[in-house]
Amino acid sequence: MNTHQISDNIHYIGVNDRTTDRFEALWPLPNGVSYNSYLVTGSEKAAIIDGVEVSHALQQIDAITDILGDRKPDYLVINHMEPDHSGAIRILRQAFPDLTIVGNAQTIAMVNGFYGVTDNTLIIKDGDTLPLGDDSSLRFILTPMVHWPETMVTYFDKEKTLFSGDAFGCFGALNGAVVDTDMATDVYFPEMIRYYSNIVGKYGQFVQRALKKLEGVDITTVCSTHGPVWRTDLPKVIDLYDRLSRYEPLDNGVTIIYGSMYGNTERMAETAAEALAEAGIKNIVVRNAAKTDLSYILADLFTHAGVVIAAPTYSDGLFPPVEAVMTAMSVRGIKNRHIALIGSHTWAPQSIKKMNAHLEACGLTPIAEPVSAKQAPSADIISKCRGLALSLAEALK
Ligand SMILES: Cc1cc2nc3c(=O)[nH]c(=O)nc-3n(C[C@H](O)[C@H](O)[C@H](O)COP(=O)(O)O)c2cc1C
Ligand SMILES: [Fe+2]
Ligand SMILES: [Fe+2]
């Protein structure tokens, strides 16, 4: 079977983007990204589910025409309105003027707001079905805030397939194959953690709500809007999204995030790393916040149970790259972590105070009294950093 034919009634009509440097102008795409779109054909009607980013519109239209020939698609079902999936709406409408746009009330309002399209739309409600012919229909399940308020998922009963929108998605373009069964999927799992922590991470409670809502639905295939179609690895993917959205660490390792201009704070961070390793912690990742992109640091934070944050005082505040990391942590409401703080200053200690304020916003408290150095860390301060790291290792056991 053609790798783009997912099943008897479903074709992949999505595209790969290996050109864009940063998703949402923020998150690095070293392996590219796919904007997945699908064509479901029933005996009477054909529905496009999810769209592509605007610059790839013609590629999607060609794919649709190749599959349908003289037949035209009847519906465009929009699970999510972020422009990476909705950008091509106007061009699709020009190619297929009779295409009915299907979405919930919030979706259809956004179709007007973004693209000025008001005609030939169909508003559906939670649980509604749309028949595609004799033996098949689409069912809509509203899953708000995974990742925008209008987000929903669509279930194709005949082939027990869920079109899940951004849920269960990941970074990484597709390399020929589309369905996980036909490829080595290892590379996509780190990209799933990064995608979740960067894009969906703030909405854990809503992902949990959506997972509960889908519990009774018989699903054998998940077609998300980014990355492979999940069939063989589906249990692993659902488990990963479940754990991430409960803020459950994936291992007992430690993320050490530090900032340092002249090496004093860095010495304390290195001391903590060595002490953790001596205490038997194997997964330790040390990140210079001024160098490693926030995207990867967020993925580390969602992975490991332990965190050390070490930062100098800078202009009476927190060293800016570390401030950015901690703001991103509090935006995502990160929970269930053991955290140790290390600071430094020369005349007025502020960094620890600012770090504590960020932790409070997440409802977290440090595992022990933070350690802070005035100017270069003394032998006593270095030994306190060791002690703090050993307490963290103890807490992680
Ligand atoms: C641009 C700049 C601004 C700073 N602002 C403050 C400050 O407001 N208060 C303070 O006590 N120390 C301040 N410091 C001093 C540093 O916090 C201190 O030297 C610390 O040891 C630097 O750690 P590092 O060697 O890891 O970069 C500042 C240093 C620099 C270079
Ligand atoms: Fe999105
Ligand atoms: Fe998306």
Side-chain angles (χ1 to χ4, degrees):
M1 206 194 277
N2 172 340
T3 57
H4 284 204
Q5 182 158 5
I6 293 166
S7 60
D8 287 345
N9 295 83
I10 306 172
H11 282 83
Y12 181 81
I13 51 168
V15 299
N16 285 311
D17 180 351
R18 297 192 182 84
T19 308
T20 301
D21 284 325
R22 285 178 184 262
F23 188 75
E24 295 177 351
L26 281 173
W27 314 108
L29 293 172
N31 309 314
V33 66
S34 68
Y35 312 116
N36 296 347
S37 175
Y38 306 91
L39 185 66
V40 183
T41 46
S43 59
E44 311 263 315
K45 305 281 187 187
I48 303 164
I49 303 194
D50 298 312
V52 299
E53 188 267 337
V54 62
S55 62
H56 296 81
L58 299 182
Q59 197 184 326
Q60 187 199 26
I61 289 165
D62 285 346
I64 295 167
T65 310
D66 281 349
I67 296 160
L68 291 182
D70 292 337
R71 197 176 163 187
K72 298 277 180 268
D74 301 279
Y75 302 115
L76 169 64
V77 174
I78 302 176
N79 283 321
H80 180 27
M81 272 300 293
E82 192 171 352
D84 55 334
H85 311 297
S86 71
I89 283 180
R90 269 213 316 241
I91 302 174
L92 263 182
R93 252 301 176 71
Q94 279 164 14
F96 308 111
D98 296 329
L99 191 67
T100 301
I101 297 178
V102 182
N104 59 67
Q106 294 201 62
T107 318
I108 298 303
M110 290 184 194
V111 170
N112 181 16
F114 276 107
Y115 307 108
V117 173
T118 52
D119 63 310
N120 199 5
T121 58
L122 175 65
I123 295 183
I124 54 80
K125 293 191 297 298
D126 192 30
D128 280 359
T129 55
L130 182 68
L132 297 181
D134 304 340
D135 56 351
S136 64
S137 63
L138 298 173
R139 178 152 59 96
F140 308 105
I141 304 164
L142 270 59
T143 53
M145 298 317 300
V146 187
H147 143 235
W148 279 17
E150 86 299 358
T151 317
M152 64 180 200
V153 299
T154 299
Y155 181 68
F156 180 49
D157 51 7
K158 189 180 175 194
E159 289 176 336
K160 296 181 179 172
T161 297
L162 185 76
F163 298 92
S164 64
D166 281 346
F168 312 116
C170 61
F171 291 132
L174 296 171
N175 301 302
V178 170
V179 181
D180 65 352
T181 317
D182 305 328
M183 65 173 84
T185 53
D186 293 2
V187 289
Y188 291 100
F189 284 92
E191 288 290 75
M192 183 170 283
I193 298 168
R194 196 164 67 88
Y195 178 82
Y196 180 87
S197 62
N198 293 188
I199 311 296
V200 193
K202 178 176 168 57
Y203 306 109
Q205 55 166 313
F206 298 98
V207 175
Q208 280 295 310
R209 224 173 272 173
L211 287 170
K212 295 251 149 42
K213 205 167 174 180
L214 293 169
E215 250 166 24
V217 186
D218 185 8
I219 300 166
T220 57
T221 305
V222 163
C223 297
S224 92
T225 45
H226 303 284
V229 165
W230 299 110
R231 204 167 260 161
T232 313
D233 284 343
L234 186 55
K236 190 175 162 186
V237 167
I238 291 175
D239 180 62
L240 184 56
Y241 258 75
D242 182 37
R243 292 178 72 180
L244 291 169
S245 59
R246 282 190 281 114
Y247 298 92
E248 187 185 301
L250 306 178
D251 69 33
N252 267 359
V254 179
T255 312
I256 302 181
I257 301 151
Y258 76 91
S260 185
M261 296 167 281
Y262 298 109
N264 294 296
T265 318
E266 183 177 54
R267 237 185 98 201
M268 295 191 277
E270 294 282 15
T271 301
E274 287 161 28
L276 284 163
E278 283 164 26
I281 304 289
K282 296 233 157 51
N283 292 321
I284 303 170
V285 53
V286 183
R287 299 293 202 187
N288 179 346
K291 174 96 181 183
T292 299
D293 196 282
L294 174 63
S295 173
Y296 294 89
I297 296 177
L298 284 172
D300 295 332
L301 284 166
F302 272 80
T303 300
H304 306 304
V307 185
V308 176
I309 305 178
T313 301
Y314 186 96
S315 301
D316 215 27
L318 184 55
F319 186 60
V322 177
E323 174 88 58
V325 171
M326 294 206 76
T327 301
M329 280 174 75
S330 53
V331 163
R332 285 159 184 75
I334 199 130
K335 293 181 232 313
N336 305 331
R337 297 295 183 275
H338 296 289
I339 302 196
L341 299 181
I342 293 172
S344 66
H345 69 286
T346 289
W347 63 95
Q350 284 297 330
S351 60
I352 295 283
K353 217 167 109 185
K354 302 276 180 186
M355 287 192 262
N356 267 320
H358 280 294
L359 291 192
E360 262 171 45
C362 302
L364 291 167
T365 40
I367 52 137
E369 191 59 33
V371 175
S372 194
K374 181 171 181 174
Q375 295 143 24
S378 62
D380 177 48
I381 289 287
I382 289 294
S383 124
K384 282 187 170 137
C385 288
R386 268 188 67 79
L388 183 61
L390 294 176
S391 303
L392 179 58
E394 202 52 48
L396 289 167
K397 271 173 193 157

